[in-house]
C-alpha cells in the first residue's frame, strides 16, 4: 500500500481521532524506515527502478508506461518496435506504423525506398 501525501499535515488534521491515527501511522512508518520522498516505479519487463518525485518524472522515466529503454520486441513485419518500452502491453504492436525504410519495386518496375507500413507508389514519370 502506498500513501501519497504529506504525513506532517495528516498528523495535524482537524479531528482528534484523525490526528491520533495519522500520528501513530507516521511514528510506525518512520520507525521502520518506510517513508520515502519518491514513488518507486519498477519496469516489469526490464526491472529498472525509477524514483518518481514529480509528475514530470513519469514522462521522463516512463514515457510509454514501461521505462525509457527501447522496446526489444518485434513487429509483425519483422522489424524491431521503434517505441520506448511499454511494459507488457502487446496490443501496441498492432497499431504501430513501422517507418523502417525498405526497398521495393512499383508496378512499373521502378526501384523505390518506402516506409515499411506504406504501400509502394510510383513517383517516376513514365515516358
Amino acid at each position: 500500500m502506498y500513501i501519497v501525501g504529506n504525513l506532517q499535515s495528516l498528523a495535524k488534521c482537524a479531528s482528534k481521532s484523525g490526528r491520533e491515527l495519522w500520528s501513530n501511522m507516521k511514528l510506525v512508518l518512520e520507525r521502520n524506515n518506510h517513508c520515502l520522498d519518491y514513488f518507486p516505479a519498477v519496469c516489469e519487463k526490464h526491472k529498472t527502478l525509477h524514483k518518481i518525485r514529480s509528475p514530470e518524472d513519469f514522462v521522463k522515466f516512463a514515457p510509454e508506461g514501461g521505462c525509457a529503454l527501447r522496446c526489444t520486441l518485434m513487429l509483425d513485419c519483422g522489424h524491431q518496435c521503434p517505441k520506448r518500452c511499454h511494459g507488457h502491453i502487446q496490443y501496441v504492436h498492432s497499431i504501430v506504423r513501422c517507418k523502417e525504410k525498405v526497398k521495393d519495386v512499383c508496378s512499373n518496375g521502378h526501384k523505390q525506398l518506402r516506409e515499411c507500413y506504406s504501400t509502394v507508389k510510383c513517383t517516376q514519370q513514365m515516358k
Side-chain angles (χ1 to χ4, degrees), residues 8-79:
Q8 304 289 42
S9 295
L10 290 170
K12 295 176 185 174
C13 71
S15 73
K16 182 180 179 193
S17 61
R19 278 193 310 276
E20 288 175 6
L21 171 76
W22 287 110
S23 293
N24 288 334
M25 181 74 75
K26 181 177 177 289
L27 185 67
V28 170
L29 292 172
E30 288 176 343
R31 185 181 300 143
N32 293 299
N33 294 317
H34 291 304
C35 290
L36 306 172
D37 66 341
Y38 61 88
F39 180 81
V42 178
C43 173
E44 290 292 318
K45 182 173 181 118
H46 298 107
K47 306 301 182 210
T48 53
L49 168 69
H50 294 292
K51 297 176 180 180
I52 307 295
R53 290 187 168 90
S54 70
E56 295 79 22
D57 285 349
F58 278 106
V59 176
K60 181 179 175 183
F61 297 123
E64 302 279 349
C67 67
L69 295 175
R70 187 170 177 197
C71 177
T72 57
L73 297 178
M74 303 305 268
L75 301 174
D76 289 341
C77 63
H79 293 118

